[in-house]
Amino acid sequence: MIQKNVPLKDYTYTKIGGNADYLAIPESIEELTKAVTFAKKNNLPWMVLGNGSNVLIQDGGIEGLVILTTSLTNMTIEHQLITVEAGAPIIEVSRTAHDHSLSGLEFACGIPGSVGGAVYMNAGAYGGEIKDVCTHVTVLTPEGEVKRLPAEEMAFDYRTSAIPEKNWIVLEAEFVLEEGEQHVIKAKMDELTYLRESKQPLEYPSCGSVFKRPPGHFAGKLIQDANLQGVQIGGAQVSLKHAGFIVNKGDATAKDYLNLVQHVQKTVKEKFGVDLEKEVRVIGRA
């Protein structure tokens, strides 16, 4: 069912964002393709949103149709191959791999994104990336064709891939992992979970890391050294726990968030001559 004028802040990790003109939450790939057909028939722009973990939706909302993939979570396991639909949380895939004594996705045990989003941006943490384990991706092309493509065609790079440029929709991803010992896999996941929980401001809504790592530097360290921790514009604040995060203290708008991003970029550039590039995707109408 396609809904009208739906608040998107209810579907994002920042708890920020205006309304979608139309919203669809398909429960199968067939329903997803029907939603795309609806948009084309009605000359509506359309876009796919995973679970809203690495995006900032602007206060004017999103024109046209937004398709949420959060109900597309089917997963199959055959030997060392895990095939999973785009809406499944990558954390759950990591846990399932552990349950089947499969190693390679431990790095993803704390990444709060969907499989589709993780593939879209080649998500990574603690030395691992999606490109290390992904072998094939099934996509829906802008022409409506379903294609199963090898990972080589994804052009995976640091926090990016060919998907946004090609305007593909990720439908499914395949991961080939290595056989391992369950207790060793669990120990690694426990260690990474501890590191994440002790260093990241999980008690507040946020989009995760705001900036990409600049060559030769760490974004959080630069922001901290620029004395920007705790700086606040409106309801958006540079986290006191981890300077690479901007948190929503309760009533932040996207405008607050973006003004603070620009202030951080300007200050770091003036003090250290380093350009901070946004990792978070900014979408929608200002």
Side-chain angles (χ1 to χ4, degrees), residues 3-237:
Q3 306 168 62
K4 289 184 179 180
N5 206 32
V6 181
L8 289 170
K9 66 180 181 180
D10 298 336
Y11 297 99
T12 67
Y13 271 61
T14 55
K15 302 302 178 191
I16 290 172
N19 292 4
D21 292 349
Y22 297 88
L23 179 72
I25 308 177
E27 295 189 358
S28 66
I29 288 171
E30 290 73 25
E31 285 188 12
L32 187 150
T33 56
K34 282 179 184 176
V36 172
T37 301
F38 166 83
K40 288 182 174 179
K41 246 183 213 179
N42 291 278
N43 294 315
L44 294 172
W46 56 273
M47 66 160 292
V48 170
L49 192 63
N51 66 356
S53 64
N54 196 242
V55 297
L56 179 67
I57 295 173
Q58 298 200 81
D59 300 317
I62 295 178
E63 180 185 1
L65 174 66
V66 174
I67 302 170
L68 277 178
T69 60
T70 47
S71 293
L72 303 176
T73 59
N74 287 333
M75 192 182 328
T76 61
I77 299 158
E78 190 174 348
H79 304 299
Q80 292 164 257
L81 172 67
I82 295 182
T83 304
V84 58
E85 288 182 337
I90 192 67
I91 288 174
E92 290 303 320
V93 186
S94 175
R95 290 172 182 161
T96 300
H98 157 265
D99 294 345
H100 287 78
S101 301
L102 294 174
S103 176
L105 271 172
E106 291 90 333
F107 74 89
C109 69
I111 295 176
S114 64
V115 166
V119 171
Y120 180 103
M121 67 173 293
N122 184 30
Y126 301 109
E129 292 180 295
I130 287 296
K131 71 179 179 64
D132 300 334
V133 290
C134 182
T135 58
H136 290 83
V137 180
T138 301
V139 301
L140 180 67
T141 70
E143 296 73 38
E145 187 180 357
V146 175
K147 287 186 174 182
R148 178 177 176 266
L149 301 171
E152 291 76 22
E153 293 193 34
M154 294 299 106
F156 286 126
D157 205 344
Y158 178 64
R159 301 300 174 265
T160 189
S161 71
I163 293 162
E165 181 188 343
K166 301 281 190 181
N167 202 21
W168 291 331
I169 296 176
V170 178
L171 300 177
E172 200 173 69
E174 297 171 36
F175 304 110
V176 172
L177 306 177
E178 296 179 2
E179 291 180 356
E181 296 183 38
Q182 204 169 75
H183 73 278
V184 175
I185 296 167
K186 184 176 187 303
K188 184 65 175 175
M189 292 172 70
D190 287 347
E191 177 193 356
L192 297 182
T193 299
Y194 170 76
L195 287 172
R196 179 173 178 265
E197 290 178 350
S198 63
K199 292 181 179 178
Q200 296 183 13
L202 304 180
E203 63 273 26
Y204 292 109
S206 82
C207 64
S209 296
V210 178
F211 303 103
K212 294 181 180 181
R213 181 185 297 173
H217 299 275
F218 292 96
K221 181 72 163 59
L222 289 168
I223 296 164
Q224 187 176 350
D225 290 348
N227 297 315
L228 288 166
Q229 272 187 290
V231 170
Q232 188 164 335
I233 294 178
Q237 182 191 59

